[in-house]
Amino acid sequence: MDAPSRPALPSPRDLPSVDRVLATPAGQQAVDAFGRAPATQAIRAALDEVRACLLAGKLVALPAPDHVALAATDALERDARTRLRPVFNLTGTVLHTNLGRALLAEEAVEAATRAMRSAVALEYDLATGTRGERDDHVRELLIELTGAEDATVVNNNAAAVLLVLNTLGLRREAIVSRGELIEIGGAFRMPDIMARAGVRLVEVGTTNRTHPKDYAGALNEATGLVLKVHTSNYRIEGFTKEVSARELADIAHAKDVPLVNDLGSGTLFDLARLGLAHEPTVREAVAEGADLVTFSGDKLLGGPQTGFIVGRADLIAAINRNPMKRALRVDKIRLAALEATLRLYRDPDRLAARLPTLRLLARTRADIAARAHELAEPLAAALGEDFDIEIVDCVSQIGSGALPLEALPSAGFAIRPAAEASGGRLNALAATLRALPVPVIGRIAEGALILDLRCLEDEQGFLDSLAHVGGPG
Ligand SMILES: *Cc1c(COP(=O)(O)O)cnc(C)c1O
């Protein structure tokens, strides 16, 4: 008990009622902005917090009712921010899986928006007035762009691989080289997918070398497919040997077994046109004799998250009959965006200007460095004297497993604490930038926060966001 001589602490009994807080001007504004039920709930929570502080002896005075209303409004505003927020990707990785991979072309964004607002002829044949197929909207385009006989679309490439394995290999065997049993991020491991697809994995060769005779020796009555996996996210160098897709097609076909080539990223555009190394195109994989080729929609292709299976018409028909196809299908919004994206490929000359993924990959170091020079001063002003900012050359990467060893010369900023170097301050700065209205995501390397400007196109938006450094996020 308190000694009688000390002033009495305020009692929770004296707290304003929820109704009284609601009746304040700030309370009314909260109701207008967020609705009565959310405002009431937030005020109740704010009052609970004050009550807890009073009981813990942490408050010496009762807050005024409008202060409680403002605290509730703050909480409502924090909560109203979208979780899935736009960010500035200054990591230097163009197709960053954790940041959502490809940015879509304006044409795709418009098509998706139209599809969201309206009924669409998704599974409806406008010529005959009868039921249509949802894949038909992109089927023709995929056939045209890949040279394959037929094509189908699913949720992503992992789904494409799963569906192919399950359709061709259920309770049968799939032959894969030990050098191609890859793990892709997010717990997608080829052996695990095989098991879930109901397929027995038959490993052949060794990690670094697999020969034609390894495959030939493993083919038997129970073989459902031979799988070739484009080991896109790493490379084994030195004493290595892999069997080419063309050779493998001959080996598999001699025993009437289909060859499936999982290209991973795959591309419909020869990256050599941008001065990059050659990444196998889907058309090449088809021409090399694969019976089915699988690849992603949101990697190098630059579209929405989707997965493709292209190849022999009879196998595609079997895949479309698999009941799992229904569980892996794509919705109208993505199909609309995908159709618009694929249409852009009909004009390869203008593709790099219209498709953000290729546009970002095509940016030169000199162009990016020029932007860095323009932005250095406002950035320094925003960060204040605590940090030194240096314009540096850096190296971007494509990401998502495409051409992992391809270094894209780029430019950006290296930001270091001005006084005695301290990793803590660097981490604090990174956290500050992540807390901005449009968070800025860089990477910490060698005692500096690196901001690679390759993927920065909205420079004004970047400066507007930086203006909030030091202020409330
Ligand atoms: C990325 C990748 C996948 C998975 O594709 P998602 O579109 O991410 O599902 C499968 N195989 C390979 C070789 C890949 O690179």
Side-chain angles (χ1 to χ4, degrees):
M1 288 300 287
D2 288 341
S5 59
R6 283 171 62 184
L9 286 171
S11 153
R13 275 197 315 274
D14 303 327
L15 276 174
S17 68
V18 171
D19 283 341
R20 181 134 171 256
V21 178
L22 269 173
T24 61
Q28 282 306 299
Q29 276 173 16
V31 170
D32 288 347
F34 299 98
R36 179 160 297 275
T40 306
Q41 204 183 355
I43 288 168
R44 194 164 284 137
L47 285 169
D48 284 348
E49 210 168 305
V50 175
R51 189 171 296 115
C53 288
L54 283 173
L55 291 173
K58 290 192 208 151
L59 269 186
V60 291
L62 281 176
D66 54 343
H67 277 126
V68 177
L70 288 174
T73 305
D74 267 358
L76 286 164
E77 278 171 356
R78 273 197 306 276
D79 185 61
R81 276 188 180 171
T82 324
R83 285 295 194 93
L84 189 56
R85 282 159 72 194
V87 302
F88 286 108
N89 170 14
L90 304 191
T91 61
T93 300
V94 176
L95 295 169
H96 200 301
T97 297
N98 303 142
L99 300 181
R101 291 194 185 159
L103 313 182
L104 298 202
E106 277 312 309
E107 289 83 350
V109 174
E110 278 165 28
T113 310
R114 276 197 304 274
M116 282 193 268
R117 291 216 174 91
S118 166
V120 293
L122 180 62
E123 294 183 351
Y124 187 78
D125 187 333
L126 289 171
T128 60
T130 55
R131 192 184 182 286
E133 284 296 326
R134 70 172 59 209
D135 282 357
D136 281 355
H137 305 284
V138 291
R139 200 176 142 261
E140 300 286 327
L141 276 161
L142 285 166
I143 291 170
E144 173 188 321
L145 294 168
T146 65
E149 255 174 47
D150 205 349
T152 191
V153 187
V154 286
N155 179 60
N156 57 11
N157 189 35
V161 172
L162 178 69
L163 189 57
V164 166
L165 289 171
N166 180 263
T167 307
L168 304 185
L170 183 63
R171 288 186 280 277
R172 295 168 69 78
E173 294 177 354
I175 303 176
V176 190
S177 160
R178 287 198 170 86
E180 297 175 3
L181 285 173
I182 57 166
E183 170 179 320
I184 319 159
F188 181 92
R189 286 178 160 196
M190 207 41 102
D192 299 341
I193 292 289
M194 291 242 176
R196 290 292 170 139
V199 181
R200 276 197 309 282
L201 166 64
V202 177
E203 303 175 28
V204 296
T206 60
T207 305
N208 58 330
R209 290 172 68 84
T210 304
H211 303 274
K213 64 174 191 296
D214 297 327
Y215 287 100
L219 278 160
N220 69 78
E221 298 293 294
T223 308
L225 66 150
V226 175
L227 178 65
K228 183 159 185 65
V229 185
H230 183 51
T231 52
S232 47
N233 53 1
Y234 75 102
R235 196 176 300 169
I236 297 177
E237 292 190 3
F239 186 56
T240 65
K241 163 100 177 102
E242 71 169 313
V243 181
S244 73
R246 200 175 286 282
E247 243 178 309
L248 203 46
D250 289 342
I251 296 168
H253 294 163
K255 290 274 156 59
D256 254 347
V257 169
L259 170 68
V260 176
N261 191 346
D262 176 24
L263 277 189
S265 184
T267 174
L268 302 175
F269 177 87
D270 186 359
L271 290 181
R273 287 180 69 146
L274 301 181
L276 299 172
H278 180 76
E279 170 87 2
T281 66
V282 180
R283 183 178 285 281
E284 286 163 1
V286 169
E288 281 162 5
D291 299 276
L292 292 175
V293 178
T294 56
F295 58 106
S296 283
D298 57 350
K299 292 184 178 175
L300 277 172
L301 192 137
Q305 181 194 296
T306 36
F308 307 102
I309 309 166
V310 305
R312 254 168 60 189
D314 59 328
L315 299 181
I316 297 286
I319 283 164
N320 284 331
R321 285 195 302 271
N322 186 330
M324 277 171 72
K325 169 79 197 301
R326 173 66 174 73
L328 303 172
R329 76 182 185 187
V330 181
D331 68 288
K332 66 169 181 174
I333 305 168
R334 281 191 284 159
L335 268 180
L338 179 61
E339 181 188 352
T341 305
L342 291 174
R343 278 186 195 285
L344 298 180
Y345 277 87
R346 286 184 161 161
D347 182 3
D349 296 338
R350 278 189 291 173
L351 192 60
R354 294 159 92 184
L355 201 64
T357 299
L358 294 187
R359 186 168 71 229
L360 296 175
L361 290 177
R363 289 184 79 183
T364 63
R365 195 205 65 83
D367 169 43
I368 301 167
R371 314 325 290 251
H373 281 279
E374 284 169 21
L375 291 169
E377 219 171 281
L379 177 65
L383 298 187
E385 310 218 308
D386 289 349
F387 294 95
D388 287 335
I389 293 167
E390 192 189 351
I391 295 174
V392 291
D393 286 348
C394 48
V395 177
S396 325
Q397 42 182 343
I398 299 179
S400 284
L403 298 177
L405 303 186
E406 184 80 359
L408 308 172
S410 185
F413 300 113
I415 307 172
R416 293 184 176 82
E420 74 289 352
S422 127
R425 287 175 66 196
L426 211 50
N427 285 324
L429 175 67
T432 300
L433 295 185
R434 286 198 307 271
L436 292 175
V438 183
V440 173
I441 317 286
R443 66 190 153 88
I444 290 180
E446 292 162 22
L449 177 65
I450 308 287
L451 302 181
D452 182 326
L453 298 188
R454 172 171 299 278
C455 297
L456 181 63
E457 294 196 299
D458 177 12
E459 286 160 17
Q460 191 53 52
F462 176 63
L463 293 176
D464 291 347
S465 204
L466 282 178
H468 291 80
V469 172

